[in-house]
Structure formats: structure tokens, C-alpha cells
Amino acid sequence: MDSIHIYGGNLLRGETKIQGSKNAVLPILAATLLIKGTCVIRNCPRIADVYHMQNLLQELGCPVSWAGNTVTVNASRVCDNRMSGESVTRMRSSIMLLGAMLGRMGEAVMSYPGGCVIGRRPIDIHLAALRKMGVEIVEEDQMFTARALHLQGTEERLPFPSVGATENVILAAVLADGMTVLENAAKEPEITALCDFLVEAGADIEGIGSGRLMIKGVDKLHEVKYTVPADRIVAGTYMTAAMAAGGSIFLEHAPAGQLGALLKAAQEMGCCVTLNKEGIGIDVLRRLHALPYLRTEVYDGFPTDLQSPMMVVLALAEGEGIVEENIFENRFRVVDGLRKMGADIETVKNKAYIRGVEKLKGTMVEAEELRGGAALVVAGLAAEGRTMIKNRHFIERGYENICKDLRELGADISIG
Ligand code: UD1
């Protein structure tokens, strides 16, 4: 039936373990193409986007196998350089294969990548950055060909600290000739994870975690075993669930150091947050008060991926708040569903004006994309009565088992 059913209104109580990070593992799986041998990736989430990446690696001739949450990729041989079909067009992160294939094969032919319907999501910054490294790109209708007889390190500055473009430059630069200096690089924790993986494999990268990366090309990389860090967005989503529904929960492995902006917002709204090296505890014992203004920003500002779940929290808080979306232009698609559940939200351009209501009511709503879908789950947990969310598959692109996790936190939720 591709749906999720929730009987809302329960306070959340209990603890759950946070899965491995989707946005970290996808570029890391692409990076395995740079290594002539076998890589073992532990704590890999079993989610649809990872399966798309697995299909793409297999189509390129690299066997991929699973044991629990451990994935083994054997990229001893890469037999093809053509990437098209559903796995590319369905998933934005397929673009990571571009930098990796250029590093490995010097050539890639691919369809334009897809992903969530949250905005235009062009790849012009990726292509311009790679051109500076000596890559020739011929664009056609649905496909493009990228070729580099000689990948050359370079000094360049991104016009915007794009996460994907930063990852592609890193992937192309680690085996290029000479030094690449990338200014205005993205600083998201997923970039750090990719760099850590590559350094363990023998890459020479300095400035990790900063906006200035220095990547000295090496002759080759070696086999590596790596454990994917916990998913900050999944942890953040479950925090917003407690903020909306109330209760006391503990999120094991939640990366507190990467969630500063959400933790600050939670405390300002009246939550009691406890942090230790095992994870994050959050107690929400009364109705929260609104945050007057919240804007999404690049790391370490408030993440765009938590904007929709946070709107649900504000929809139930006491008072009025404004949310300004600055990363993607089409990220208020969930508002219609939330209004249907009783939220009082108006949007004008990239701002949402939210007046807190005392209750949401369960009804039938449709997920249209990943994080908006997760926001509907958060709303369903807090709402009175039964919520049915259609199009569960969007949510499963990023959450390994959202129903099981939330049941561990006391929710009445199941797939239908
Ligand atoms: C973005 C988010 C990332 C999030 C991911 C999945 C930021 C900065 N990036 O990463 O945190 O986890 O979505 O939801 O928060 N852009 C261009 N041309 C390009 C590349 C990007 O115009 O070549 C624009 C995009 O349209 C968008 C913005 O730059 O408005 C952010 O893009 P980017 O960081 O590249 O997106 P993702 O890598 O998908």
C-alpha cells in the first residue's frame, strides 16, 4: 500500500539508535571507484538511495555485497563508463559518480541526475569546477559526456559552497596531477566524512572541515575499512518528533556536535536537552514557545533538511514564527498537507509565516518528497486521531526504518 499509519497523541518515551548517515555514505560509495580493490563500509543504512548507488556501481562492473549493515564493494575492475537509467535520474547523489569516474577512468557519460522535487537543483557549479581541472564536457539533451585526458590540480573558488560540487572536486582531485586548492568549499560534516574515508585510503587532504581544502594528488589509493558516522538529519527529525508530540527520549549515537543549530533552537523554545558522548536526550514537558525567526543556512547554520520537520514544531508552539528557506526555492511543498491537518501556515516566496495552534488533527495526507514526508510523520505523531501518509517510498529514501525507530520511542505507527 506504500503508506504509513499513525495513531497520534502519545507522549514519546524511550530510546532508539540513530542509523548511519545517508548524505555521508553516498559520496563514500562513489569514492570506492577510486580504489582498485575491495572496501568495506560499516554502519551503512539500508535505504533506497543506497540501493540505487549499489545498482550503479554494479552496472559499472563492481560487485557489491551486504552482510547486515556492512557493504563490501569490489572496484578492482571498472568495465563501463556509461551511467544512465532510473538509478541516475531518481537520485541526485548519482552526480557524485562523475568526479569518481573522472578520477578512475578519465571519462564518464551520464544522464542528468534526479532527486527530490525540492527545487531546480542544477549542476552548473559542479561542471564549471571540473572544467577548471581540465575536464571537457559536452552537453546533450538528456545526457552529457565528461572527458579528461589529464586531470590537473588547480586553484579555484566556488561561487556558492555547494555540498555536491565540493564532493565532486574532492573526488576528481585526489588522484589528479598536482595540488588542488578549493576555496569556499562546503563545510558540512558529510564532506568531512568523505575526506576522512579518502585519507584512510591514502589521499593527501588538508584543511578538512574548513572552507579551504588543499588536495595533493597521489598515485593511487589503497583498500580501506570505514564506519559511516550517524545521520544528523535522522537524529534531528526524531528530536523534532519529541518537540512536537512531547515526552522524554534518548537518541543513541546522535551527533550532538553536528546539531548545534537545532539544539540551540530547542533550548530557546523551552526543551531540556542533555548531551553526552552516547547521544542526545530531550525532555519536552510542556507546550513550547515559538521561535520568532528561523533561517536555513549552510553548515553550521540551521539545515535545510530539518526545515520541514521544524515547521511542524512551530505549527504547535505558542506564538508566531517565521521560517526563511535559503537553500532550495521549492521547499514548502509540505505546507498543504500540514494545513489539511489544521496548521496555520502562510507562505510568501521563501518565507513561511506560522501561527501556532493547540492541536493538529489526523487525516489522509501525501508525502511528495523525503524530508517533507518525514515532517508529515512528525505531524502525525503529535496529531489527534489517525493519520495516513501516502507515498511512503519517498520517506524510505532516507530513513532505514522510521516506524520501528518511532515505535521504540512509544509511538503507535505502522506501515500499511
Ligand atoms: C543540499 C544541501 C545539503 C543537503 C542536501 C540534500 C546545503 C548547502 N546543501 O546538498 O545540506 O543534505 O541538499 O537535501 O544545505 N546549486 C546550483 N548549482 C550547482 C549546485 C547547486 O545552483 O551546480 C544550488 C542548488 O540549486 C541549491 C544550492 O545550490 O539551491 C545548494 O546546493 P548543494 O549544496 O549543491 O546541494 P546538495 O549537494 O544537493
Side-chain angles (χ1 to χ4, degrees):
M1 272 292 288
D2 193 25
S3 59
I4 291 179
H5 300 252
I6 305 170
Y7 287 93
N10 293 351
L11 289 180
L12 299 181
R13 283 193 199 290
E15 55 181 82
T16 191
K17 194 155 85 187
I18 300 301
Q19 70 183 58
S21 164
K22 160 184 169 291
N23 290 337
V25 77
L26 293 170
I28 287 171
L29 286 171
T32 61
L33 284 175
L34 295 168
I35 299 164
K36 286 186 185 159
T38 300
C39 289
V40 177
I41 318 287
R42 305 187 197 97
N43 199 31
C44 187
R46 285 182 168 269
I47 52 176
D49 277 16
V50 167
Y51 294 134
H52 287 315
M53 189 59 90
Q54 170 180 354
N55 288 340
L56 286 163
L57 291 170
Q58 284 169 335
E59 279 167 29
L60 293 170
C62 305
V64 178
S65 59
W66 286 85
N69 282 93
T70 299
V71 171
T72 303
V73 183
N74 180 349
S76 302
R77 290 188 315 135
V78 176
C79 312
D80 203 351
N81 62 9
R82 211 179 157 79
M83 291 162 285
S84 56
E86 271 200 1
S87 293
V88 176
T89 50
R90 277 196 177 176
M91 180 180 66
R92 168 84 177 170
S93 297
S94 55
I95 191 66
M96 267 30 297
L97 292 166
L98 176 58
M101 282 295 281
L102 285 167
R104 175 68 184 260
M105 307 288 278
E107 186 169 285
V109 182
M110 73 188 295
S111 318
Y112 286 96
C116 277
V117 283
I118 57 174
R120 291 174 302 116
R121 310 194 89 171
I123 54 168
D124 54 320
I125 301 175
H126 301 238
L127 300 186
L130 292 170
R131 281 190 172 110
K132 287 209 177 121
M133 299 181 73
V135 180
E136 271 179 34
I137 295 160
V138 181
E139 299 189 62
E140 288 158 49
D141 241 12
Q142 304 292 323
M143 308 275 293
F144 64 93
T145 303
R147 194 173 292 125
L149 292 177
H150 180 77
L151 263 181
Q152 181 62 55
T154 180
E155 286 196 17
E156 56 182 309
R157 184 181 175 81
L158 296 180
F160 171 84
S162 152
V163 173
T166 301
E167 288 164 345
N168 255 330
V169 171
I170 294 168
L171 290 165
V174 283
L175 292 176
D177 267 350
M179 175 79 104
T180 299
V181 179
L182 186 65
E183 305 271 5
N184 203 25
K187 292 184 271 194
E188 269 67 3
E190 295 75 31
I191 306 277
T192 300
L194 174 63
C195 290
D196 288 346
F197 170 83
L198 289 165
V199 167
E200 282 197 29
D204 184 345
I205 309 176
E206 282 186 32
I208 297 173
S210 80
R212 183 170 197 266
L213 293 172
M214 284 157 291
I215 307 154
K216 193 167 164 210
V218 295
D219 288 342
K220 62 174 192 160
L221 299 176
H222 53 76
E223 295 179 339
V224 66
K225 290 185 180 162
Y226 182 80
T227 302
V228 178
D231 193 308
R232 65 188 171 112
I233 304 302
V234 171
T237 306
Y238 297 168
M239 273 183 68
T240 62
M243 290 165 77
S248 293
I249 64 168
F250 185 77
L251 302 172
E252 200 184 329
H253 297 170
Q258 300 175 7
L259 281 164
L262 176 62
L263 292 169
K264 182 165 171 279
Q267 279 164 329
E268 280 172 23
M269 294 179 82
C271 303
C272 177
V273 176
T274 41
L275 311 178
N276 62 39
K277 61 179 187 323
E278 268 88 54
I280 298 177
I282 177 161
D283 297 300
V284 184
L285 305 173
R286 63 187 74 85
R287 190 174 178 203
L288 300 180
H289 24 266
L291 270 186
Y293 210 95
L294 183 77
R295 53 198 317 269
T296 62
E297 290 169 300
V298 297
Y299 190 76
D300 53 2
F302 195 89
T304 178
D305 282 348
L306 289 175
Q307 180 258 100
S308 299
M310 192 63 178
M311 269 210 292
V312 181
V313 177
L314 287 166
L316 284 159
E318 198 173 348
E320 295 181 14
I322 299 173
V323 172
E324 181 184 317
E325 171 59 50
N326 292 305
I327 308 295
F328 291 111
E329 71 273 19
N330 195 10
R331 219 165 194 182
F332 289 140
R333 289 171 71 104
V334 71
V335 167
D336 284 346
L338 296 179
R339 275 205 203 114
K340 199 172 163 198
M341 295 177 77
D344 183 350
I345 306 177
E346 264 175 63
T347 58
V348 182
K349 295 190 181 149
N350 71 332
K351 293 197 181 79
Y353 297 83
I354 306 166
R355 274 174 294 271
V357 294
E358 293 211 2
K359 285 180 200 150
L360 294 177
K361 54 181 190 311
T363 183
M364 193 173 81
V365 284
E366 268 181 56
E368 295 187 41
E369 39 91 12
L370 167 58
R371 305 302 173 188
L376 292 173
V377 172
V378 171
L381 296 172
E384 280 186 349
R386 180 168 182 263
T387 298
M388 176 179 160
I389 302 164
K390 296 210 287 196
N391 296 336
R392 184 181 82 222
H393 65 274
F394 282 119
I395 299 167
E396 290 173 346
R397 284 192 47 214
Y399 297 81
E400 185 166 40
N401 201 336
I402 196 167
C403 291
K404 176 179 147 291
D405 291 348
L406 291 169
R407 274 199 301 272
E408 286 175 1
L409 298 177
D412 186 343
I413 179 170
S414 56
I415 57 171

